[in-house]
Amino acid sequence: MAERLTDRRVSGIKAGEQRLEVSDLVVPGLRIVVQPTGRKSWAVRYRNADGKTKKWTVGSYPDLSLAVARELARKGLERIALGQDPAAEKAAAKAPQEAKAQPAERTVADVVESYLRRRVATLKSADSLERLFRKEVIEPWGRRSFEGIRKADVVELLDNILDRGSPTTARLAQSALRGLWQWAIARGLTETDPLANTPRMPKSGVRSRVLQDDELRALWSVAGRIGRFGPLYRLLVLTGARRGEVAGMRWDELQGDVWHLAAERTKNGQPHVLRLPKLALAELERVERRSPFVFGTGDGGPSGWSKSKKRVDRLMAEELQGEVAPWVVHDIRRTFASNCARAGVRLEVVEKALNHQSGSFGGIVSVYQKYSYEKEIGEALEAHARLVEQIVYRRQSNVVPIRH
């Protein structure tokens, strides 16, 4: 968020469960950073000469007042305009002193790599456990301090896995993390166990939950008033793409009305191309460009999914004036498939739109059938978008089934 900061406003900002950054409209790039612990500091985000996004910590608050922080930020931005890099200079000056003063802090990646080498490598399940740790633990937490991980962090990580429709993975991750922390405690690497008394993950099963029309209408309405997550939820509804694919969308993946997903960005390792419907393009036009990522604010996609989902559930219940049956973000993808069928889309086209390699395209078919279905997918998404418009805006039926 960005606003014209005042001394009173800066003093009154309260800490939350997640780190908060409030940008200053007076000096572009300057922001007040509020940690969950309540500690506040001044920082400037900028691009260096190589075009990389950097963060320069100016100093702590209230040691530096708003006026002083603005003055220092202006001087720093002048240096940046001349090609200098204050964050790199500060790090270079600080590194030798820190190296002498204290040993390097262990990151989660450091401890996991040691655990994989010393313990997991001896197990029959070594390969699958290593894949799990690299994707579900190192990817989101790798650079974080191992000692800094708290119970709330663990719950959020597991909730995020559940919200993408992967209860089995959530249970496996919880078990793997327990093993990691027990091993670390036994070796004296830490004295605290953030897994203690964490909620047990639900047993897996074949999910069949789809959002009914009134629920979809409520979700669409709620998405119109929850900030940056709003267009993201609407893109999930309109594309049927996976949560991670939409959340990690980059501006350079969009070429006109076409979204190009590289193989490394998809679950099955296959590139995927979607011609976006006009309704989806209208949502993208609402998003301010603040990062290479469409829904990010720095060097990555958005964080705080669990908190966002709880807010969406609460607002949907208010919208519908009653409780909403439990659902996870991945259920939007199943709803997309169901509504595509309502719009007259052939099953094999729906499977291609979802980038499935099973079903109609499993087995030997996946080896010999290489037609992309790009044209048919584009028509399917447009027909589905017309149905969504009819549902969420209560319009008379104007859905034109696809003709084959």
Side-chain angles (χ1 to χ4, degrees), residues 281-394:
L281 296 174
E283 290 302 317
L284 288 172
E285 289 178 359
R286 295 174 51 202
V287 181
E288 178 187 355
R289 294 198 182 210
R290 295 186 287 180
S291 153
F293 293 85
V294 175
F295 300 106
T297 56
D299 295 329
S303 60
W305 269 102
S306 179
K307 185 176 180 180
S308 167
K309 175 62 165 53
K310 290 177 182 176
R311 184 184 179 197
V312 167
D313 286 339
R314 176 174 56 79
L315 292 174
M316 283 180 64
E318 292 176 2
E319 188 93 6
L320 294 170
Q321 298 182 347
E323 289 295 320
V324 178
W327 63 281
V328 298
V329 173
H330 194 77
D331 294 335
I332 297 175
R333 186 168 159 87
R334 190 178 301 103
T335 304
F336 167 87
S338 300
N339 283 334
C340 276
R342 287 172 63 183
V345 182
R346 299 198 315 266
L347 175 60
E348 68 269 24
V349 179
V350 177
E351 290 178 343
K352 276 295 183 180
L354 294 170
N355 201 19
H356 277 170
Q357 288 296 104
S358 56
S360 302
F361 298 95
I364 195 68
V365 176
S366 66
V367 177
Y368 289 101
Q369 204 306 103
K370 298 300 181 183
Y371 179 57
S372 69
Y373 282 79
E374 183 178 335
K375 177 175 178 292
E376 290 85 349
I377 292 172
E379 292 173 346
L381 263 64
E382 198 63 65
H384 171 263
R386 290 195 295 267
L387 175 59
V388 170
E389 280 192 290
Q390 174 196 334
I391 293 170
V392 301
Y393 297 122
R394 299 177 184 270

